[in-house]
Amino acid sequence: MSSSHHPGPTLPTPVRSAADAVRLLLLAVTHPLEAETLCFLLDDDGNGVAGIITVVSGTTNPEALLDVVELIGRVGSGVPDATALVVATVRPSQGLLPGDVDLWLEASDLALAHGIELREWFIISPTGVFCPRDMLCEPERWPRPFPGDQGDQ
């Protein structure tokens, strides 16, 4: 009779940068690309809250972002460890749109009204991943790297 050692479950890697978030989101995106919105909550240390990525299919209207942020903001406000929200909108036939800056500002306010920081909103398209925040030249909301972190390297 032989015995074997099975390691215990591994903990997910914290999401502490935009690059970390994009890597995670791209694992969950439907291929080929479909109109959908993905989001997850984080705690202060960048750990996913409950290990869940929420996917809302059929979000073809750009303003669907606001409905998703409102819903997840309400949910997050009832979760003691939830402090930040990361969202990605998948647009299979286009990238940034003229109203995206206004949507970023409004979504940020909606999340904040529930005590949750909208850490980032990504737009995933066939031509790349974009952040409407960049169009405002607003600084990133990701915390400074923790000692020993590799950051975006």
Side-chain angles (χ1 to χ4, degrees), residues 28 30 36-39 53-57:
T30 302
E36 60 187 2
T37 300
L38 300 89
C39 57
I53 296 177
T54 302
V55 180
V56 181
S57 301

Side-chain angles (χ1 to χ4, degrees), residues 12-32:
T13 304
V15 177
R16 295 184 176 155
S17 69
D20 291 345
V22 168
R23 277 191 290 274
L24 179 62
L25 290 162
L26 290 178
L27 291 173
V29 166
T30 302
H31 292 281

Side-chain angles (χ1 to χ4, degrees), residues 65 69 83-87 103-109 111-112 116-121 133 138 141:
L65 165 74
V69 169
T83 58
L85 173 63
V86 176
V87 180
L103 285 173
W104 161 254
L105 294 170
E106 192 170 345
S108 293
D109 289 346
L112 201 54
I116 304 288
E117 175 189 57
L118 180 57
R119 182 72 42 90
E120 196 69 88
W121 173 38
R133 173 192 49 73
E138 187 178 302
R141 296 178 177 180

Side-chain angles (χ1 to χ4, degrees), residues 77-112:
S77 69
V79 179
D81 293 337
T83 58
L85 173 63
V86 176
V87 180
T89 298
V90 179
R91 294 183 180 157
S93 60
Q94 56 198 357
L96 289 168
L97 297 173
D100 285 343
V101 168
D102 292 331
L103 285 173
W104 161 254
L105 294 170
E106 192 170 345
S108 293
D109 289 346
L110 273 174
L112 201 54

